[in-house]
Structure formats: C-alpha cells, structure tokens
Amino acid sequence: MKILSKIATSYQENQPFVVYRKPNAKEVLALFSKNDSLFLLEDFSDSGFVFAPFDAKEKPIFFPFNEFDFFSENINFIDEPIVKNNFSESEFQKENHQKIVEKAIQEIKNGRFQKVVISRKESLSFKNFDVVLTYKKLIQNYPNAFVYVWFHPKVGLWLGATPETLLTVENLRFETMSLAGTQVADNLASVVWQQKELEEQSLVTDFIESQLKNKVEHLQIGNPETVKAGNLFHLKTAISGTLHPSESSLKELIESLHPTPAVCGLPRNIAKNFILENENYNREFYTGFLGEMNVISKESNLNKTQLFVNLRCMKIENDSANLFIGGGITKDSNPEKEWQETVSKSKTMKLVL
C-alpha cells in the first residue's frame, strides 16, 4: 500500500501526518505534510483534521486540508499474525490506582460529585518499534473502531482504536452517543448489566440530554444497547437531533459535549478538578477528541464533521509505549474490579505491540 510506505517515510523524515480508517470502512484515508509547521485550531469553520486534548482550556492541534497532501486507498493486505505477549501488571500501579479509586468513592459518598473517571498511564519498554506493522495490526483487529496513527515532530506519535463517537454533524443534522459500562466480551447471551453500569450509563445519557435540549430541535434518545469493542462489551445509547440554524454553532456543540461524563465525570468541572489533582500524570490527548471537520462532500454538497473520543490509545516515546486506560467510578464501584477493568482495557493496545 502506498499510504503504508508513506507512513514509514514521513515518520523517518519527521514530517507530520495522520492516517485513519473509519468504523466498518474498507478505505484508509491519510494526510501528509511537507513541512513541520504546527497549526492550532482557531476557527471551527475551517476544514481539516483536529486532534484535541482532554483539557478543553488548551487549543486543539489542526491539520488544515489545504496544507497537507490527501490520499485514500482500500485495504488489501495479508493479516499480520498476533503474537501473545507477556506484559505483566505492576503491583505498585495497582496499589496506587486503587487508592485513588477509594478516595473518589469516598468523595462521591460525601456528595462532592456523582461520578468521576479515573485513569492511569502504563509504560511498556521495547526495542525497535514498527509504526507500520502496529498500525496494520490495529486495522485488522478492530474493524468496528476508528483506527488512527497521528504524528507531529513537535508533539509526538499517537496510535489508537477508539469505539466512541463524540459527534457527527451533516449540515444541521447531528448524532452522538453515550458509551459507558464495561464487561469482558465472552458470550453476548450471557451479558447481564449490574446496577453500577446501568447507573453510570444513565448519568452520561442524562448529561448529554441536559446539555443539548435547549440547543437543538427534535432531540431523540434511543434505548441502551450492548455493543462489542475489541475484547469488551459496552452499553451504548444513540442520541440525535437537529441544530438551530441561528443559535447553535459547531464550536458550541463541541464545548457542550467535551469532555462528557464518560471520560470525565459529573458535575463536570468538579470531577475534572479532582482528576487533575489526583491522577498524578498528564492525560495529554487521551480522552480528548479527533477527526475530520467541515468536509464538503462532492456528491451531496453536505458539510460533514465526524469526531471521535480518543480512547484505547497510546503514545510512543523513545523506547516506551505509554498506554492510557481508565474507568468510571460511582458510589457502587469496587476498587479491585475497577483495576481489573483497566487491565482488560489495556489489552486493546497490548495485543498489537
């Protein structure tokens, strides 16, 4: 594939690029730059690819379409074999994560907030990271996810396979989702959601509804359904509606949703402050969002924006892969189970290393 060879060349030459495959698509799309200019998103009406951090106070990085070369190719390569790895879990990390979870549960019981998402960073050492091979493995293993590799020499190398849509907008029509609750995927017939997961999912749905009900028309909330993402099941509720032509902008819509309680908590600002004070690391672009903004379709003349929450991702630095994994904490959470949930989620990225 021409795009795969360009990934290797651009990475070697320190030139910015993003390569991505949308959920259930056969086509790989790519943007490659010929210089290392760093653009920040200044105008939400611009057309390009956005890469935004968790902290909404920081400006997103933007790859404008008119500054990059665009490529697209259909996937057609032999499956790469998956080799079982032997990454072990750190007892220190486990103890530290559980302590923060215990503190969060106590704060919830004290009435400080209803829910908070606690995450951790796990660093894995290796030699000779192969960006192309890793990306190929992500594509073949996670057909239902938004699978990407993103690089800028002034920011770093990120890869991910996220199951969660933040927002899709076509002209004035929009779709989003609430995604919360996790079980290890075994047998769909045996999935039974406990009160903790049902409550967690309901909190996310209710927040999105409250944020949007005065900004949109014809707001529709679906019923929760079980969806599979890699080796995990989640609860998903589809949400859709129509923007007010004169009252709602793309910027306002994104600010209303990001970060959702699925990656932050409720109330949002209080939960976010707890995260920044207690997680003991910088999430950077983990639980931020990424995707295409303001793409004009040649066939239909529609203006389309398609953004995804940056979950199941990793940042490559020197001889380490930094994995980011988290879970929603409510009053019914169990610290040991929350740790095991992060272990299960980490396998999405560990499987391809």
Side-chain angles (χ1 to χ4, degrees), residues 12-273:
Q12 194 172 24
E13 296 177 353
N14 269 340
Q15 303 294 356
F17 65 87
V18 62
V19 178
Y20 53 102
R21 200 255 0 247
K22 296 178 184 179
N24 303 307
K26 294 295 183 187
E27 190 178 37
V28 174
L29 309 173
L31 296 170
F32 292 94
S33 177
K34 293 191 175 79
N35 62 68
D36 64 355
S37 299
L38 183 65
F39 300 93
L40 299 178
L41 181 63
E42 305 288 352
D43 187 341
F44 280 71
S45 65
D46 286 345
S47 183
F49 191 97
V50 64
F51 195 58
F54 164 68
D55 192 343
K57 291 178 182 175
E58 299 175 20
K59 280 194 174 178
I61 297 171
F62 198 59
F63 287 178
F65 286 141
N66 59 7
E67 298 283 348
F68 282 69
D69 293 329
F70 176 79
F71 297 86
S72 67
E73 280 185 88
N74 282 344
I75 301 167
N76 185 23
F77 53 75
I78 300 167
D79 283 357
E80 295 296 333
I82 294 297
V83 180
K84 267 202 167 184
N85 53 56
N86 296 307
F87 296 120
S88 58
E89 307 302 331
S90 159
E91 284 302 315
F92 171 76
Q93 274 228 339
K94 179 178 181 179
E95 185 180 338
N96 188 53
H97 187 76
Q98 288 184 331
K99 278 182 181 175
I100 301 171
V101 170
E102 285 167 3
K103 184 176 180 180
I105 294 168
Q106 192 56 53
E107 293 283 15
I108 291 169
K109 288 178 178 175
N110 291 343
R112 186 175 174 191
F113 39 73
Q114 293 171 275
K115 174 191 172 174
V116 66
V117 176
I118 300 300
S119 69
R120 62 184 177 91
K121 181 169 81 170
E122 183 177 347
S123 295
L124 305 174
S125 298
F126 58 84
K127 293 277 193 258
N128 305 318
F129 178 77
D130 188 329
V131 61
V132 174
L133 180 61
T134 306
Y135 185 61
K136 285 166 72 174
K137 287 181 180 180
L138 281 172
I139 287 176
Q140 79 177 54
N141 279 280
Y142 304 110
N144 302 327
F146 180 83
V147 180
Y148 77 91
V149 52
W150 184 99
F151 175 69
H152 196 292
K154 297 172 183 175
V155 181
L157 175 66
W158 287 73
L159 300 95
T162 176
E164 183 171 352
T165 299
L166 176 70
L167 183 65
T168 300
V169 182
E170 282 190 331
N171 286 0
L172 296 177
R173 181 74 183 166
F174 78 89
E175 295 176 356
T176 183
M177 67 168 69
S178 71
L179 193 76
T182 302
Q183 286 190 40
V184 175
D186 187 11
N187 180 1
L188 184 60
S190 66
V191 175
V192 177
W193 294 103
Q194 302 300 318
Q195 184 60 35
K196 185 258 179 187
E197 290 97 359
L198 294 169
E199 180 184 334
E200 186 185 349
Q201 216 274 336
S202 178
L203 286 171
V204 178
T205 304
D206 292 347
F207 167 83
I208 294 174
E209 183 178 11
S210 69
Q211 289 291 95
L212 296 180
K213 64 183 179 184
N214 295 323
K215 295 182 175 68
V216 305
E217 299 172 331
H218 315 301
L219 186 62
Q220 293 181 305
I221 313 290
N223 294 318
E225 58 178 321
T226 300
V227 293
K228 190 170 185 277
N231 63 320
L232 302 171
F233 284 129
H234 299 289
L235 271 171
K236 182 184 94 169
T237 298
I239 300 167
S240 62
T242 308
L243 298 176
H244 294 298
S246 57
E247 296 175 30
S248 297
S249 68
L250 178 61
K251 182 174 187 288
E252 289 169 332
L253 195 57
I254 291 171
E255 288 174 349
S256 296
L257 294 173
H258 174 69
T260 72
V263 299
C264 183
L266 271 175
R268 179 159 68 179
N269 289 338
I270 298 172
K272 182 181 173 184
N273 288 337

Side-chain angles (χ1 to χ4, degrees), residues 214-341:
N214 295 323
K215 295 182 175 68
V216 305
E217 299 172 331
H218 315 301
L219 186 62
Q220 293 181 305
I221 313 290
N223 294 318
E225 58 178 321
T226 300
V227 293
K228 190 170 185 277
N231 63 320
L232 302 171
F233 284 129
H234 299 289
L235 271 171
K236 182 184 94 169
T237 298
I239 300 167
S240 62
T242 308
L243 298 176
H244 294 298
S246 57
E247 296 175 30
S248 297
S249 68
L250 178 61
K251 182 174 187 288
E252 289 169 332
L253 195 57
I254 291 171
E255 288 174 349
S256 296
L257 294 173
H258 174 69
T260 72
V263 299
C264 183
L266 271 175
R268 179 159 68 179
N269 289 338
I270 298 172
K272 182 181 173 184
N273 288 337
F274 182 87
I275 289 167
L276 296 175
E277 291 164 9
N278 291 278
E279 278 191 345
N280 302 318
Y281 85 99
N282 182 359
R283 287 188 180 188
E284 299 181 71
F285 295 92
Y286 167 61
T287 62
F289 62 86
L290 72 164
E292 298 173 335
M293 284 181 60
N294 301 307
V295 178
I296 305 297
S297 168
K298 292 177 183 176
E299 294 81 23
S300 59
N301 209 31
L302 286 175
N303 183 331
K304 186 170 183 178
T305 293
Q306 201 168 9
L307 305 176
F308 298 83
V309 182
N310 196 16
L311 304 175
R312 314 292 191 274
C313 61
M314 60 182 165
K315 181 183 182 183
I316 306 302
E317 292 183 286
N318 301 320
D319 291 331
S320 293
N322 295 311
L323 278 55
F324 304 87
I325 326 108
I329 311 303
T330 68
K331 66 181 189 303
D332 299 317
S333 290
N334 175 291
E336 173 64 32
K337 287 183 179 178
E338 295 300 334
W339 165 257
Q340 290 302 329
E341 182 176 312

